[in-house]
Amino acid sequence: SYKETTTLNWAVSMDTPGQVYEFTVDAVNEGSIDAMIATETENLITQGLTANQKKYLDYTVTYINGAAVEKIDKLATGETKTLKVKLEFEKL
């Protein structure tokens, strides 16, 4: 079994309730065998945040068309899927 992961790092400063930050990222399988898109969104989004920060953050990870990302989705050889991450500083 072969496993390769990609890590994205970004810094976002949201200091006003209701602020939203969105970005997209392409998952591309340039390999010679089918792969999987596996998301662990809790770690993906909240790593490095304090418990107090986490309780005010709402987030979603979907495909660009709004479809849900399953825990493990197939990414066929040569296929590209665009993911959208949306972060929101919850209104109190």
Side-chain angles (χ1 to χ4, degrees):
S1 157
Y2 178 77
K3 180 179 179 182
E4 182 177 327
T5 59
T6 300
T7 302
L8 302 172
N9 294 300
W10 68 92
V12 176
S13 178
M14 294 190 293
D15 56 8
T16 304
Q19 281 183 300
V20 174
Y21 180 80
E22 289 184 341
F23 69 91
T24 59
V25 61
D26 288 338
V28 181
N29 182 356
E30 294 179 337
S32 59
I33 60 173
D34 290 347
M36 300 291 217
I37 295 175
T39 62
E40 297 293 334
T41 57
E42 178 66 23
N43 291 332
L44 174 73
I45 303 300
T46 63
Q47 186 176 25
L49 297 180
T50 67
N52 195 42
Q53 290 169 323
K54 288 179 187 180
K55 71 182 181 181
Y56 296 109
L57 179 66
D58 188 24
Y59 61 88
T60 57
V61 179
T62 62
Y63 289 107
I64 193 70
N65 66 1
V69 177
E70 301 299 326
K71 185 167 182 159
I72 298 177
D73 278 347
K74 181 179 177 181
L75 185 62
T77 300
E79 187 176 21
T80 298
K81 292 184 178 180
T82 302
L83 303 171
K84 179 173 74 171
V85 178
K86 179 179 178 181
L87 309 168
E88 184 172 358
F89 186 157
E90 290 186 1
K91 294 180 182 179
L92 305 178

